Amino acid sequence: MASLKNSVRLTGFLGKNPELKTLNENTSLARVSLATNERYRNEQGEWATNTQWHTLVFWGRQAAFAGKALTKGSEIAIEGKLVNRQYVDNDGVTRHVTEVNVKEVLQLSRKPE
């Protein structure tokens, strides 16, 4: 169970095309948003949908795959870990971010041609 301490599995649809960045000759990353939907019955007995947005970060070969194979609307399943970080924006305000560092990705829908 030690490997389950920080483990995330999500299935959903990409909200935008991956944003690719090259940090140096050997390091690249791709960042993208993933929407997950939960359907439930509300207090009136009607079906409602709750959408949660998650920021995914792909590194190295995974980033190259994301840039080539994934587009807005692609359905994927991922496994990864949660990472919390903070940074100071251009206005001097400290921002806190939670992201999912992706270890494995499975493409559930084909890239449109």
Side-chain angles (χ1 to χ4, degrees):
M1 294 290 272
S3 65
L4 296 179
K5 288 184 180 178
N6 186 358
S7 181
V8 176
R9 291 182 181 175
L10 298 169
T11 301
F13 295 90
L14 298 187
K16 62 180 181 177
N17 291 333
E19 180 183 308
L20 298 168
K21 291 185 181 180
T22 302
L23 304 178
N24 60 43
E25 291 179 17
N26 300 322
T27 307
S28 60
L29 71 86
R31 186 173 278 120
V32 70
S33 58
L34 180 79
T36 56
N37 296 312
E38 178 183 4
R39 287 184 43 90
Y40 63 95
R41 289 197 184 265
N42 62 19
E43 294 173 355
Q44 293 77 28
E46 301 166 334
W47 283 105
T49 302
N50 180 17
T51 301
Q52 297 288 319
W53 288 94
H54 313 274
T55 301
L56 308 182
V57 180
F58 298 84
W59 292 93
R61 290 183 188 165
Q62 296 275 1
F65 168 79
K68 290 178 185 173
L70 303 179
T71 59
K72 179 180 179 179
S74 295
E75 184 177 16
I76 63 170
I78 63 98
E79 182 173 357
K81 67 178 185 174
L82 285 177
V83 175
N84 295 302
R85 64 180 179 85
Q86 64 183 25
Y87 66 94
V88 178
D89 69 12
N90 294 336
D91 297 325
V93 178
T94 301
R95 303 285 182 178
H96 298 271
V97 179
T98 300
E99 300 171 322
V100 178
N101 276 358
V102 176
K103 292 182 200 172
E104 294 184 39
V105 60
L106 177 62
Q107 187 173 5
L108 301 175
S109 63
R110 293 180 182 255
K111 181 177 179 177
E113 296 188 27

